[in-house]
Amino acid sequence: MKNTIGLYGLGVMGANLAKNMANNRERVAVFNYTPDLTEKFVGEFSSQNVEAHYELEAFIQSLETPRKVFLMVTAGPVVDSVIRSIIPFLDKGDIIMDGGNSDFHDSNRRFHELNEQGIHFVSVGVSGGEEGALNGPALMPSGDACAYSLVAPILEKIAAKVDGKPCCTYLGPEGSGHYVKMVHNGIEYADMQLITEAYQFLRERVGLTVEEIADVFAQWNETDLKSYLIEITADILRKKDDETGKPMVDVILDKAGQKGTGKWTSKEALDIGAPSSILTEAVFARYLSAMKEERVHAENILSGPKAVDDKMDKDYWINVVKEALFMGKICAYTQGFNQYRTASEHYGWSLDLSEIALIFRGGCIIRADFLNKISNAFKQNKELTNLLLAPYFIEKTNRYQSSLRKVVMKGMESGLSLPCFSTSLTYYDGYRSSQSGANMIQAQRDYFGAHTYERNDKEGIFHTNW
Ligand code: 6PG
């Protein structure tokens, strides 16, 4: 009997996806460029639904037609070379899926190049890390709707489920699935940075111990903040280092790494004119964190405010920080979804923002209860220009904006850097201001470069002889 799907690439994510497919009774052919990972895979996972291959042609020929090949290889040129290597064994109508964190520009190109050869290309954003890949990731597929319908039964089966609904739905043409995954990661960066700032504020400003903060996060996870990232933060704070007995967070060097998807989100936001400042600030915060040696040096040279010694009421401030964090998250997700809207118009993709929020509810790193609210907001009003204007979020921000203000002001007065909290507030205040101050910029541009300006009292384009 032929196999229903081929999984190419048996790194951690690929191996777990193959197991997930086999556990869901798909007959999976597996292949890796080097035999070692294939041997390792079959050594640790035995299933009658798995067929290991060591020859590329035999791997592809073992698949029922139209063949469905799922690539889980390193994003970038490797994807192109793998595609080139399998094309000779494919027929028109076969389908290649790419589940890596590929740049959507590459996915757009691959989609069109393969289309010309009669091969379907389905971009599949995959989120959820190792555990998600094994037990149910969030999947963000795009490409031809007809090609998607052929792979949908498999993808929807292996995806996470929330309220019985798979966290996988057809999103749009070309590489839009990888676009959706990219911005998911931009939101992920912002969410992680906001949580980090809340932790830092509670520790350095309010004076809570690591254990107390773990309890606070665990408690928050029972509220409207409930989310995977809040949950793992509580777990992380409870973990002690085996060697020293100190909290793990205290022995981990404060230099953040990154693989690039957050940066891509920001570059893309700049290209299409989406004000994703909180997402971008989270990328910059990682860059600044990486300058450890410089920061250590500067600490002894550059002065800040005098130490503030006011005693802070713990219970009061825990609640204020909670509200500030929720407010920051609302602003960050608003920016991410606004970027989806702008990109959808820019590329003509007709992305359904309500559906995107729905598939983020399970499996992925940013899964959170309040994605239901985001989904409802876009479902109730398809023309909604900005999430902040949806009734649920108006009510929340009306209640929480003053807490964000309090935390930012306390942080600033004591010299605590709060990049995403402060940018959230700046975005919020900027968005709700009918007067932006840009009249001055227009005047300056006209003054030094005769760039012209519009007036607020009559139509037309004007220039002043300054
Ligand atoms: C996910 C994650 C996943 C991975 C990121 C981390 O949704 O499963 O986003 O894709 O964790 O690649 O990215 P950085 O290394 O850039 O933090």
Side-chain angles (χ1 to χ4, degrees):
M1 212 179 349
K2 297 257 181 186
N3 296 303
T4 51
I5 187 158
L7 196 300
Y8 187 127
L10 292 172
V12 178
M13 290 296 284
N16 279 354
L17 278 173
K19 291 176 190 171
N20 183 348
M21 289 168 183
N23 291 339
N24 275 293
R25 289 195 283 283
E26 289 299 327
R27 291 191 310 282
V28 198
V30 294
F31 178 86
N32 194 69
Y33 184 66
T34 54
D36 52 339
L37 291 185
T38 316
E39 281 156 11
K40 179 168 177 266
F41 179 79
V42 287
E44 15 172 270
F45 184 72
S46 85
S47 161
Q48 56 186 22
N49 295 330
V50 171
E51 191 174 284
H53 282 272
Y54 296 89
E55 296 295 335
L56 188 57
E57 182 170 4
F59 164 66
I60 302 289
Q61 296 313 340
S62 79
L63 305 176
E64 64 183 31
T65 54
R67 300 181 185 86
K68 301 166 194 77
V69 186
F70 196 104
L71 310 184
M72 204 64 205
V73 297
T74 313
V78 175
V79 177
D80 290 308
S81 71
V82 169
I83 290 176
R84 270 195 305 276
S85 71
I86 60 176
I87 287 280
F89 310 120
L90 295 180
D91 291 318
K92 284 193 177 9
D94 287 347
I95 303 158
I96 298 177
M97 290 165 269
D98 173 20
N101 265 336
S102 289
D103 183 330
F104 82 98
H105 296 100
D106 287 337
S107 301
N108 283 350
R109 171 179 56 75
R110 289 170 188 140
F111 171 83
H112 291 292
E113 282 172 4
L114 287 166
N115 243 357
E116 279 170 23
Q117 301 176 62
I119 307 287
H120 298 295
F121 181 74
V122 178
S123 291
V124 191
V126 177
S127 176
E130 291 177 48
E131 199 263 326
L134 180 63
N135 298 318
L139 298 177
M140 300 147 226
S142 67
D144 275 335
C146 63
Y148 175 70
S149 67
L150 297 172
V151 294
I154 302 178
L155 297 185
E156 293 181 9
K157 201 154 53 164
I158 64 164
K161 311 280 178 311
V162 175
D163 301 336
K165 195 176 153 53
C167 296
C168 172
T169 197
Y170 173 72
L171 292 174
E174 303 182 307
S176 51
H178 275 134
Y179 194 97
V180 170
K181 175 66 207 306
M182 174 187 77
V183 177
H184 163 285
N185 281 28
I187 297 172
E188 174 184 303
Y189 275 43
D191 203 338
M192 291 165 74
Q193 178 64 31
L194 286 163
I195 289 174
T196 298
E197 291 172 26
Y199 153 75
Q200 256 198 311
F201 188 91
L202 289 174
R203 185 142 186 212
E204 293 179 24
R205 200 65 185 78
V206 186
L208 300 191
T209 63
V210 175
E211 290 74 16
E212 283 172 327
I213 304 173
D215 291 342
V216 167
F217 273 92
Q219 218 180 348
W220 287 353
N221 203 39
E222 305 294 318
T223 68
D224 48 7
L225 268 180
K226 184 173 171 56
S227 66
Y228 172 72
L229 285 170
I230 296 281
E231 180 192 327
I232 66 166
T233 303
D235 280 358
I236 288 167
L237 291 169
R238 291 225 163 85
K239 184 84 180 159
K240 297 274 192 299
D241 175 38
D242 290 340
E243 267 175 59
T244 60
K246 291 182 183 168
M248 276 309 296
V249 278
D250 286 352
V251 296
I252 295 176
L253 187 64
D254 59 332
K255 279 168 97 165
Q258 57 191 307
K259 294 200 199 73
T261 41
K263 177 183 73 182
W264 293 349
T265 306
S266 299
K267 284 168 83 171
E268 174 60 17
L270 289 171
D271 281 344
I272 61 173
S276 297
S277 53
I278 310 165
L279 279 49
T280 304
E281 197 54 51
V283 180
F284 288 152
R286 289 198 189 186
Y287 289 161
L288 194 56
S289 81
M291 299 160 64
K292 175 73 176 176
E293 293 74 18
E294 278 189 55
R295 289 188 289 109
V296 170
H297 180 63
E299 187 177 62
N300 298 320
I301 299 174
L302 304 177
S303 53
K306 289 201 180 71
V308 195
D309 60 358
D310 58 338
K311 197 97 189 83
M312 292 173 78
D313 177 328
K314 287 186 183 177
D315 289 337
Y316 171 81
W317 277 99
I318 287 170
N319 190 49
V320 171
V321 176
K322 179 201 168 247
E323 293 183 354
L325 177 56
F326 199 75
M327 181 75 194
K329 281 173 81 124
I330 290 174
C331 293
Y333 282 68
T334 294
Q335 291 192 347
F337 278 81
N338 175 66
Q339 186 164 337
Y340 285 138
R341 175 176 294 290
T342 311
S344 183
E345 284 161 12
H346 187 87
Y347 297 109
W349 283 338
S350 307
L351 296 178
D352 184 328
L353 306 194
S354 174
E355 284 294 317
I356 293 175
L358 272 191
I359 60 174
F360 285 170
R361 291 180 310 159
C364 70
I365 303 296
I366 64 169
R367 59 187 182 262
D369 264 19
F370 93 136
L371 283 156
N372 279 307
K373 307 292 184 192
I374 297 180
S375 179
N376 284 343
F378 287 116
K379 194 170 171 188
Q380 278 160 13
N381 179 3
K382 296 264 177 221
E383 305 308 316
L384 184 66
T385 48
N386 186 299
L387 203 51
L388 292 174
L389 301 178
Y392 172 84
F393 293 99
I394 295 172
E395 193 265 327
K396 284 285 179 200
T397 54
N398 276 346
R399 285 205 283 135
Y400 294 169
Q401 56 88 23
S402 69
S403 291
L404 181 58
R405 242 171 256 291
K406 284 179 195 157
V407 172
V408 169
M409 288 190 308
K410 276 278 177 203
M412 297 288 155
E413 81 178 5
S414 57
L416 183 65
S417 171
L418 298 171
C420 280
F421 270 171
S422 54
T423 306
S424 299
L425 187 57
T426 300
Y427 170 73
Y428 177 74
D429 282 340
Y431 185 71
R432 63 177 196 89
S433 298
S434 65
Q435 285 300 314
S436 70
N439 38 338
M440 175 55 84
I441 290 174
Q442 287 300 78
Q444 290 165 335
R445 292 176 70 241
D446 191 58
Y447 187 110
F448 60 65
H451 292 296
T452 73
Y453 54 85
E454 290 176 274
R455 293 179 61 104
N456 55 24
D457 55 358
K458 55 184 170 194
E459 294 275 310
I461 302 293
F462 299 89
H463 167 61
T464 293
N465 188 2
W466 296 92

